[in-house]
Amino acid sequence: MLASDLLSDLGSVPESDLADLSNWDFLQDLDFGCVLEQGNNANGQVEGPQLTAGPQPTSNERLKEKNRKAQQRARQKKKERSQTIEAQLAETTSQLHDLRLRQRQLEARNQLLELAAANKQQACPASAPQRSLQAEARDGVLRILDKSGLIRTQQGKALVLTVHGFKEEIKMEDVGRLPHTDIAKLYTAHVRKVAQCLLDVEGNSEASHSALTEIHRLSVELTAVLICFSMGSPSNHGIIHSLNMETGTLFQEPPSDSNPDELLAATNFTESQQQDMLHLRRLFFGKLGQLSRVRAAIVKQMPAAVQPSPVLPFNLDFKSTAGKLAETKEWADQLCANRAEESRAFLTCGFCLYRGIQTSLQHAVAMVHQYPRAPDTKVLLETVAQLHKEPSVESLVAGSGLDDQQHAASWQAVTQYLESLDANGVHGYKPFRKIATEACSPRT
């Protein structure tokens, strides 16, 4: 296109558009990355805007910026790695602390076990205080039975039974380990023979003396068997009074309330015998109360002996506990002795009742009448107490106006009564009250 053509075209454009076109600053609408500046000419007149280039970063500046960003990223990675290592170090330190703590616990526990084993070995000749003291209580009562006609062999370590028509020996320790079914069979065999002897006593006066002698011998044998079985295990004493002697099984229900009343009617106790039973009851439960108070005093002292050190947690105080083991063992031995004395009190009470206050004939009647149960000393005493409206067991155990020294003195009189029993008077009734009336009277 020629310039003349352009000019001709411009001539056809309206004047208003030409005015706008003349005012258009096209340099401002162009984007050249440049800066428009205004300057003065040599004459000091302002010239129109001029196009100048902006500052561009050099290669060194670009390199520095790149390095700066790289260093920033490196510092961030180093910080994150340091935080990770610190967390791992804290976890490892905690695990190490737990392992050292566990090591201390195991070392202290091993020390405690070694000390306990050493003490146990030293106590072996006594074969556990409770067991030896209970054996002493058992032997004490059996010595009384020896005077009543009990036959023992092997230096007194075996019983001789004649219930099956011939003499058979059985070690006392073996009796304590017999199953209750075998005890039931032995009991049943004795009761059946006793029942036959009772028939002979009632039907033939000439044979009554020999029958009474046979009743006494059988009852002494059976008493020895029950004593040895009771001392064989802590649970055996309860088994005897809940055992069905006919079937060898345990009763699921207590005896009916009518049985004790029927027993009193069948045995026909005299008033003097009943008063002796009441007196024995008062002394027996008074003795149990005295022993319970001694036991409570021992237990009250035990926490101070076994209390761990307040400095260390309980599970870390094995060394302190090991150091107090000997002191703790002393309290345990006292409790064992207390338990053995209580067992001896039960045996003594029953023996005084069945071998002294009751006659041989009354004891035999009680055995047959209460079969398939064994006679229960406490049940019989409580039945007589209810009949005479005596104080409750709780009040007797609480003391009934006597101090513990008086209870101990009163019970000593019971022991003396037991020692006085022998074969010469085993068939009859031996009065009990006169030996301890003064000892059991309250002090004023």
Side-chain angles (χ1 to χ4, degrees):
M1 180 179 293
L2 298 177
S4 58
D5 296 333
L6 289 171
L7 293 175
S8 63
D9 290 338
L10 290 172
S12 63
V13 177
E15 293 181 1
S16 60
D17 294 338
L18 290 175
D20 295 335
L21 184 61
S22 62
N23 295 328
W24 174 40
D25 189 356
F26 67 94
L27 291 176
Q28 292 182 357
D29 293 344
L30 296 177
D31 185 11
F32 292 123
C34 301
V35 179
L36 296 177
E37 297 182 351
Q38 289 183 344
N40 296 333
N41 57 15
N43 299 326
Q45 295 178 350
V46 179
E47 296 181 347
Q50 299 178 358
L51 184 63
T52 60
Q56 298 292 329
T58 63
S59 59
N60 290 334
E61 291 176 344
R62 288 195 297 270
L63 181 60
K64 289 180 179 179
E65 179 66 19
K66 182 177 181 181
N67 290 340
R68 184 183 67 81
K69 292 182 178 179
Q71 291 174 358
Q72 185 178 6
R73 290 192 297 271
R75 285 193 297 271
Q76 182 65 26
K77 290 182 179 179
K78 183 178 180 180
K79 182 178 180 181
E80 293 175 354
R81 184 166 57 253
S82 176
Q83 292 175 347
T84 302
I85 293 175
E86 289 178 357
Q88 293 176 349
L89 178 61
E91 182 179 359
T92 304
T93 303
S94 177
Q95 293 176 352
L96 180 61
H97 175 73
D98 293 341
L99 291 174
R100 287 177 177 174
L101 187 65
R102 180 60 177 166
Q103 181 184 7
R104 291 175 59 192
Q105 291 177 346
L106 292 176
E107 290 175 352
R109 181 176 178 83
N110 287 339
Q111 182 181 0
L112 177 61
L113 292 175
E114 290 174 359
L115 183 58
N119 287 338
K120 183 176 181 181
Q121 290 176 357
Q122 294 176 0
C124 280
S127 185
Q130 182 176 3
R131 184 176 178 181
S132 61
L133 290 171
Q134 287 186 344
E136 179 185 347
R138 176 200 64 195
D139 293 342
V141 178
L142 290 180
R143 283 194 295 270
I144 306 301
L145 287 175
D146 290 341
K147 294 190 301 182
S148 301
L150 178 66
I151 303 174
R152 287 196 286 175
T153 60
Q154 300 181 17
Q155 290 76 41
K157 297 181 179 180
L159 303 178
V160 177
L161 306 181
T162 60
V163 66
H164 295 121
F166 56 91
K167 292 183 179 180
E168 53 182 332
E169 296 183 8
I170 180 171
K171 292 183 179 180
M172 293 189 298
E173 287 74 12
D174 293 339
V175 176
R177 291 190 289 265
L178 285 176
H180 59 266
T181 53
D182 290 349
I183 293 295
K185 292 178 181 179
L186 275 175
Y187 189 93
T188 298
H190 280 83
V191 170
R192 287 176 177 173
K193 278 207 166 185
V194 167
Q196 182 60 48
C197 290
L198 287 175
L199 293 176
D200 293 340
V201 170
E202 294 178 358
N204 188 347
S205 59
E206 295 181 358
S208 62
H209 181 74
S210 60
L212 284 174
T213 303
E214 181 73 3
I215 287 174
H216 172 69
R217 183 178 55 79
L218 292 172
S219 63
V220 166
E221 287 183 9
L222 183 57
T223 301
V225 169
L226 295 181
I227 289 174
C228 293
F229 179 73
S230 297
M231 305 302 284
S233 171
S235 61
N236 285 355
H237 181 76
I239 289 177
I240 289 177
H241 296 294
S242 60
L243 182 61
N244 187 327
M245 300 298 180
E246 184 177 12
T247 63
T249 59
L250 298 179
F251 285 107
Q252 301 299 321
E253 298 178 355
S256 61
D257 296 337
S258 61
N259 284 347
D261 296 333
E262 295 175 359
L263 176 61
L264 290 180
T267 51
N268 193 24
F269 293 120
T270 65
E271 181 63 24
S272 180
Q273 286 177 310
Q274 294 185 37
Q275 292 299 324
D276 279 354
M277 291 181 190
L278 297 178
H279 191 58
L280 177 62
R281 174 179 177 269
R282 287 190 289 268
L283 297 181
F284 172 62
F285 286 112
K287 176 64 175 178
L288 294 186
Q290 179 248 326
L291 292 175
S292 67
R293 287 185 289 275
V294 172
R295 186 163 54 249
I298 296 173
V299 173
K300 187 177 181 180
Q301 299 177 55
M302 289 185 65
V306 298
Q307 184 179 2
S309 170
V311 178
L312 295 174
F314 178 75
N315 58 352
L316 293 181
D317 198 25
F318 289 111
K319 292 183 179 180
S320 176
T321 304
K324 297 172 182 176
L325 185 61
E327 186 177 4
T328 305
K329 181 179 178 296
E330 180 181 352
W331 306 126
D333 290 345
Q334 293 182 20
L335 288 176
C336 289
N338 182 276
R339 176 66 181 88
E341 189 172 357
E342 186 178 79
S343 298
R344 186 160 47 242
F346 273 94
L347 293 176
T348 301
C349 179
F351 202 86
C352 289
L353 176 62
Y354 296 121
R355 310 309 314 167
I357 297 177
Q358 291 185 4
T359 65
S360 296
L361 189 60
Q362 288 172 328
H363 184 51
V365 170
M367 292 172 56
V368 174
H369 182 82
Q370 292 189 276
Y371 184 83
R373 290 184 180 270
D376 192 329
T377 303
K378 292 174 62 177
V379 172
L380 180 58
L381 293 179
E382 288 308 297
T383 302
V384 178
Q386 292 177 6
L387 181 63
H388 291 266
K389 299 181 180 180
E390 284 286 298
S392 65
V393 172
E394 291 76 11
S395 63
L396 295 177
V397 171
S400 299
L402 299 177
D403 58 29
D404 288 344
Q405 291 182 352
Q406 289 174 294
H407 283 297
S410 300
W411 194 253
Q412 184 62 33
V414 177
T415 304
Q416 294 174 0
Y417 173 82
L418 184 65
E419 294 288 346
S420 68
L421 299 177
D422 54 29
N424 296 326
V426 293
H427 297 313
Y429 156 63
K430 186 167 186 177
F432 172 76
R433 279 175 296 163
K434 64 180 182 180
I435 67 169
T437 301
E438 296 181 358
C440 68
S441 300
R443 294 179 182 178
T444 57

